[in-house]
Amino acid sequence: RIRSVGTDGFTKGLAKFATLIEYTPEKILEFGCTFQASDELFETWAMAGSGLSNMNKFLHQSLLQSLDAVTPDMALLLQRCLRDTYKTHCPDVEGIFGGRILPRCQESLGEAWATTLSRDQKVGRAVLEYMEHRKIYDESSGETEKTTFMRDVMTQVVDALVEKGALDFEEDPSVGDDRLYFNKTAAAAGSKSEEATKAGFCVLLAHPNTKAADLFSREHACRAAQKMRDNNPELAD
């Protein structure tokens, strides 16, 4: 997804929006015509997550992205389908799906791929192809089956703990895809208590989980942040 580089913050910060738009030239231009009269409102809304300051820049970038093999909306839907249906992930969505699976699906189905199948049907068909031949596809990304399995287990454990309320997380989609998971009990107890000291570890994971996990002490991170604020009072704001 070469042309998408540099605007990932927009699709991450506005993921829900990105999946609502079909990244085809017709749909993008239709969106532009619809909101042409409210460009000032668009500027206020878009600047928070993208840095694309006006409608013209947004349309220009979106039209370029619509030429990519894996468009922003398709990438998000592929990741969601893998996560929700198969409880797994793909280590390289753009490379594997854009470079191999989607072209193969287009070749096998011909015109029906573009004219008959809906976007969700394309996602389902592509994910099924990936899962049926996953070992072959993942070899190109350099990840072993064992590593993939360990990532999936960790993801399911973390998701279960978040769902039960044992863990919470913070993230800033505008600057990256990492999530910082921490113990809610420790956060509520305060960093100076014995309970917080025992349970004050954080885990930094990519979301989806496609990178190494970073485990560190929340207490040490808080101390470092406080020292930075002491040395530079402007950071306290």
Side-chain angles (χ1 to χ4, degrees), residues 1-159:
R1 203 169 82 221
I2 297 176
R3 282 171 291 274
S4 296
V5 174
T7 59
D8 281 350
F10 178 70
T11 58
K12 290 173 182 175
L14 301 170
K16 182 178 180 181
F17 168 79
T19 57
L20 294 178
I21 282 189
E22 290 192 35
Y23 275 71
T24 62
E26 296 83 0
K27 295 293 185 181
I28 292 169
L29 292 176
E30 179 181 314
F31 175 86
C33 292
T34 302
F35 289 94
Q36 182 180 11
S38 56
D39 192 56
E40 182 177 349
L41 177 63
F42 177 86
E43 291 180 17
T44 303
W45 169 73
M47 280 294 289
S50 69
L52 300 175
S53 59
N54 57 55
M55 180 65 72
N56 286 337
K57 290 184 179 180
F58 170 76
L59 293 177
H60 174 76
Q61 182 62 34
S62 297
L63 288 171
L64 287 176
Q65 289 177 317
S66 71
L67 301 176
D68 297 331
V70 178
T71 55
D73 60 327
M74 183 71 78
L76 292 169
L77 291 172
L78 288 168
Q79 293 168 355
R80 181 184 301 171
C81 182
L82 286 166
R83 182 180 67 249
D84 296 347
T85 305
Y86 297 98
K87 305 299 181 183
T88 187
H89 72 283
C90 174
D92 184 8
V93 171
E94 285 79 11
I96 293 176
F97 283 89
R100 304 179 66 183
I101 295 179
L102 293 179
R104 179 172 296 178
C105 291
Q106 293 171 4
E107 183 178 356
S108 62
L109 296 178
E111 293 185 4
W113 178 262
T115 60
T116 305
L117 298 184
S118 67
R119 183 176 57 170
D120 289 339
Q121 288 175 325
K122 293 177 182 178
V123 168
R125 178 67 183 86
V127 169
L128 180 61
E129 166 67 21
Y130 171 70
M131 293 304 298
E132 288 180 344
H133 306 94
R134 183 175 192 179
K135 183 177 181 179
I136 297 174
Y137 287 125
D138 282 356
E139 284 179 354
S140 62
S141 68
E143 182 158 296
T144 64
E145 284 185 284
K146 184 177 180 180
T147 301
T148 301
F149 174 76
M150 291 172 64
R151 290 190 192 279
D152 292 340
V153 170
M154 176 177 285
T155 298
Q156 292 187 50
V157 169
V158 170
D159 288 347

Side-chain angles (χ1 to χ4, degrees), residues 187-206:
S191 60
K192 295 183 179 180
S193 69
E194 182 179 355
E195 184 180 6
T197 301
K198 293 180 179 179
F201 290 98
C202 299
V203 178
L204 188 67
L205 285 175

